[in-house]
Amino acid sequence: MLKTRIMPTLLFKGFGLVKGVGFDSWRRVGAALQSIRVYNLREVDELVFLDIGARERGGKPDFREIDELADNCHMPMTVGGGVSTMEDFRSLLAVGADKVAVNSAALETPDLIRDASREFGAQCVVVSIDFRRHADGRLEVFTHCGKTATGRDPVAWAKDAAARGAGEILLTNIERDGAMTGYDVAAVAAVAAAVDVPVVASGGCGTYQDMADVLSGSRAAAVAAAAMFHFTEQTPREAKRFLAERGFRVRR
């Protein structure tokens, strides 16, 4: 059984890191390079770096920025934001990304998942799925930073993405993003049960107990968190200690 990974998420926009609630109301929270240097010292298993301003700049990742960050990052780094072509995958991996996350383009051009998996290996291909839970309980995938409804069910889309060659699913509940009220455990459980690739739970983490709840209530392979690490004194190292004391296998 694989050990649970703790994965801080950095959201980059313009010239620094931001954090909002529900993919909106962005607040500046510091510099990317400084945050990475701090996480280098805090026993972080992996880092998620999403350039949410890429599309506003014309739709391409900032390869120069990512190159500098990767040079200073001593842990595996998943990079996403503005990824839409095989050349984007190739360029990000060339400048130091360990995995590439693709969201909107994966739905628009599903063959991109297959092609990237065949050329670079499934372990490099992360399909990021953002979803909303409607009042009637129905789940729906949204793209373009949570602005565009797709009519797709996240469980069905995750199964499709995994079948096409995705090596990992990054699953985020949009409404819970930044709210620190806990993960959408039911949604994570449904997706993780439907695919045979690792699922990273994202969106809503506010405490170490939230991590324990989603891990015990689903087959999530990892937990991602942003606001919790930005706005509280909680750390990845203490998260591991908390989970280990409760019987979860974590990397030490």
Side-chain angles (χ1 to χ4, degrees), residues 3-4 6 45 239-241 243-244 248-252:
K3 294 182 178 180
T4 298
I6 309 297
D45 296 319
K240 289 185 178 184
R241 181 178 301 173
L243 293 174
F248 296 99
R249 299 180 72 245
V250 296
R251 300 177 181 182
R252 304 299 290 269

Side-chain angles (χ1 to χ4, degrees), residues 85-170:
T85 67
M86 286 289 287
E87 187 56 37
D88 292 336
F89 269 87
R90 189 173 294 108
S91 296
L92 287 173
L93 294 171
V95 298
D98 297 278
K99 302 177 185 178
V100 176
V102 59
N103 188 315
S104 302
L107 269 165
E108 294 166 351
T109 315
D111 285 349
L112 178 63
I113 303 172
R114 179 202 62 200
D115 295 343
S117 181
R118 287 178 177 175
E119 181 162 341
F120 308 115
Q123 77 284 350
C124 294
V125 183
V126 178
V127 171
S128 176
I129 299 177
D130 301 329
F131 71 94
R132 296 183 186 273
R133 181 180 288 278
H134 294 292
D136 61 359
R138 178 174 58 89
L139 307 181
E140 183 178 8
V141 176
F142 279 68
T143 59
H144 300 85
C145 290
K147 296 180 177 63
T148 304
T150 67
R152 296 291 301 271
D153 172 73
V155 176
W157 172 225
K159 290 176 65 175
D160 189 1
R164 291 175 184 273
E168 190 164 88
I169 303 295
L170 175 62

Side-chain angles (χ1 to χ4, degrees), residues 11 19-24 26 172-182 202-206 225-228 230-231:
L11 302 178
K19 190 68 194 85
V21 178
F23 287 18
D24 202 357
W26 302 111
T172 304
N173 178 303
I174 296 171
E175 291 98 340
R176 290 176 180 252
D177 170 70
M180 294 195 288
T181 55
S202 174
C205 187
M228 168 181 168
H230 285 307
F231 302 131

Side-chain angles (χ1 to χ4, degrees), residues 54-71:
R55 285 187 176 271
E56 296 176 6
R57 296 194 313 271
K60 289 297 178 184
D62 187 337
F63 299 112
R64 182 177 299 179
E65 175 76 17
I66 293 163
D67 191 4
E68 180 182 8
L69 297 177
D71 285 345

Side-chain angles (χ1 to χ4, degrees), residues 6-53:
I6 309 297
M7 301 169 62
T9 300
L10 301 180
L11 302 178
F12 183 80
K13 187 175 185 181
F15 297 97
L17 300 180
V18 296
K19 190 68 194 85
V21 178
F23 287 18
D24 202 357
S25 302
W26 302 111
R27 168 183 170 186
R28 295 284 180 182
V29 294
L33 185 56
Q34 179 182 9
S35 293
I36 285 175
R37 286 172 172 165
V38 170
Y39 284 135
N40 282 336
L41 304 174
R42 291 192 172 175
E43 300 179 13
V44 169
D45 296 319
E46 294 185 27
L47 194 69
V48 179
F49 180 86
L50 302 177
D51 185 348
I52 62 173

